[in-house]
Amino acid sequence: MKNKYLKKAAVLAMTGIIAAGSLAACGSDKKDESANAENAKELSMAWWGNQVRNERTQQVLDKYKEETGVTVKGQFFQWDDYWSKMATSAAGKKMPDIIQMDMSYIKQYADKGQLLDLTPYIEDGTLETSEITEDVLNMGKVEDGIYGIASGTSSSCMFYNKTLLDELGITIEDNMSLDDFVAISKEVYEKSGYRANLYHYGLYMDMYARANDIQATDKLGGDSAEDYVPYFQTLEDGIKEGWHISPSQAADTASVEEDPMVYGSSPENMTWCTINGSAQLTAYQAAAPEGTDIDLTTIPTTDPAKSNYVKPSMYFSVSADTKNPEEAVKLLNYLSNSTDAYDILLAERGIPASGKVTEAIMPKLSQEEQENAEFINDVITPNSSPMPPFPVEGSSQAQDLLRKLEEKVKYGEYTAQEAAGEYFTEANKMLAGE
């Protein structure tokens, strides 16, 4: 009998322990649910850019909190620091929930599984894309997934000092050829001392390669280094003949986000043109001396229709590391479709991808922003070719090499033949991962 009661007591005790454990587990679940709910009310977002972008973006995130109760912690960097930070965060699987993404990196991050495929959220309506054209939506497509929504559309262009050229009696026509550009550059230099700045930061190679059907994929286009000699030859000739600015002449400058429209102390240190993204018109106009009108036109090449294209100024993407994908996508939806948000952002990141948003804010845009919109819609779009393939891993190293080689040609350290040879050999190694 005694053993019988002892066994019964033991069973009861064990039952109590199990029950207590179950209650503790329930309590733990509730804590986890509470923690997740709290985390859902806090997201992080990172971007690069200038102080204007930083201030406007933070204002939008503050407004989002007012409307939804979700706090978004912003992280702002300069371009080079941004990608270094993202690489470190990605390696540790700690990227911010929303990241500003660039065309030169989106494929690399998507291929490594570091970005969230937005397709399911588009299909279930969490991310609204009905006001975004299929062409613009596909700008964020990598293989079968959508990994970024264009924050706006832009185009590469050439900015030029219209006031100066009007004074010289020179008219710039859109879609000019490279030969026409060189002739105009020589005329401007002879009449005013101002020089051209076509080769800056390696940006011109994109247009050259498109015009000559040698775009890079997993290797450089073309059969040999000879395909790249004309690229460096025009630069070499421009330096020797005086019509293209050299690094020593450009030392006396006022910079606009690493890409100067040079305003020096004398004409020989000044440029009449440079290339960049069309969304930068406002910044260039703001940096110009008072009374100077900066205009934009297509970048001169041997075939402007091949080289022109509309591109995403940048993207908003969701990190694959996010603990709250649905909340992150809701924020992305707000950044893509809210007219309240774009009343603040305006066209600082390019012309909004949403047609409805663009229509709503157009009257509020500055003259320069409206000119940018007209340039993309009326000049580039009717006379352009499809967007190029996304750069592969190794492209950023190849771009750095190109910039260094351009500098060597500008300083007279390399001939066009030498620069083309090294570029073709070494850039192909970089693109191959060697």
Side-chain angles (χ1 to χ4, degrees), residues 171-203:
T171 301
I172 295 295
E173 300 287 347
D174 293 327
N175 298 307
M176 77 174 104
S177 69
L178 182 60
D179 287 343
D180 288 341
F181 171 77
V182 171
I184 289 172
S185 295
K186 290 179 178 179
E187 183 180 358
V188 172
Y189 177 59
E190 290 172 3
K191 290 182 176 179
S192 69
Y194 281 65
R195 307 170 197 265
N197 189 26
L198 184 65
Y199 289 78
H200 181 80
Y201 219 58
L203 296 174

Side-chain angles (χ1 to χ4, degrees), residues 115-148:
L115 300 180
L116 187 71
D117 182 3
L118 302 171
T119 307
Y121 301 93
I122 293 172
E123 291 174 348
D124 71 15
T126 305
L127 180 55
E128 176 60 52
T129 60
S130 62
E131 290 293 332
I132 300 175
T133 67
E134 186 176 356
D135 285 345
V136 174
L137 185 62
N138 285 338
M139 288 178 178
K141 189 171 186 178
V142 180
E143 302 300 336
D144 295 326
I146 300 291
Y147 292 94

Side-chain angles (χ1 to χ4, degrees), residues 277-345:
S278 60
Q280 291 298 317
L281 178 59
T282 301
Y284 278 101
Q285 187 63 67
E290 186 175 352
T292 299
D293 182 21
I294 303 301
D295 208 344
L296 72 174
T297 187
T298 52
I299 296 175
T301 67
T302 53
D303 193 332
K306 284 185 180 179
S307 53
N308 294 340
Y309 66 98
V310 178
K311 62 181 180 179
S313 50
M314 58 202 71
Y315 304 92
F316 291 126
S317 296
V318 177
S319 161
D321 298 334
T322 182
K323 299 297 189 294
N324 296 290
E326 186 168 348
E327 287 300 323
V329 172
K330 286 179 181 178
L331 172 57
L332 174 57
N333 186 64
Y334 183 79
L335 293 169
S336 302
N337 293 297
S338 170
T339 53
D340 289 340
Y342 277 93
D343 278 342
I344 299 170
L345 295 174

Side-chain angles (χ1 to χ4, degrees), residues 83-102:
W83 294 110
S84 175
K85 177 67 175 176
M86 289 305 104
T88 302
S89 300
K93 297 188 179 300
K94 294 182 179 178
M95 279 200 296
D97 298 286
I98 296 283
I99 54 177
Q100 191 169 285
M101 179 52 61
D102 186 74

Side-chain angles (χ1 to χ4, degrees), residues 1-14:
M1 288 290 291
K2 186 176 180 181
N3 287 338
K4 182 179 179 181
Y5 286 121
L6 285 173
K7 287 180 180 179
K8 185 175 182 181
V11 170
L12 290 171
M14 185 60 68

Side-chain angles (χ1 to χ4, degrees), residues 41 48 68 134-135 222-223 288-289 302 305 335 356 368 370 387 399:
K41 292 183 179 180
W48 74 83
T68 66
E134 186 176 356
D135 285 345
D223 298 323
T302 53
L335 293 169
K356 180 179 179 181
E368 292 81 13
Q370 291 189 31
M387 196 175 82
Q399 187 74 357

Side-chain angles (χ1 to χ4, degrees), residues 225-226 228-229 232-233 236 409 414-423:
E226 291 302 312
Y228 294 88
V229 172
F232 292 102
Q233 191 64 59
E236 183 180 350
V409 173
Y414 271 26
T415 64
Q417 197 79 37
E418 290 169 331
E422 183 169 329
Y423 180 63

